[in-house]
Amino acid sequence: MEHQAEKLLRGREVAEVLNVSRALAYRWMQSGVLPVIRVPGGRTVRVPRSALLAWIERQTVQPEA
């Protein structure tokens, strides 16, 4: 079975998934609101797709019955 690397999302892609502005997505990435991976050798950060989906799940409020 071939191992497939996890998709690391750029700020633009994060903004699209969350339906927010790119500026807000980058702000959340820089401030630690969203889980990020820092790419060695630069200021580049990426958000693992699975971590973003888990973050969305934690932020989702279920209606009371």
Side-chain angles (χ1 to χ4, degrees):
M1 176 180 282
E2 183 180 324
H3 175 72
Q4 184 175 353
E6 179 173 12
K7 172 84 172 166
L8 298 177
L9 303 175
R10 298 172 186 262
R12 172 184 47 80
E13 296 167 312
V14 171
E16 290 173 6
V17 170
L18 296 176
N19 197 29
V20 299
S21 70
R22 281 180 22 176
L24 182 57
Y26 280 109
R27 194 173 328 131
W28 285 351
M29 291 167 68
Q30 291 175 340
S31 67
V33 172
L34 295 175
V36 298
I37 291 176
R38 296 205 175 275
V39 178
R43 299 181 331 169
T44 304
V45 293
R46 298 286 188 264
V47 177
R49 185 176 187 280
S50 63
L52 180 61
L53 296 177
W55 181 87
I56 292 169
E57 190 69 31
R58 288 190 307 272
Q59 301 306 312
T60 303
V61 177
Q62 299 297 326
E64 294 184 24

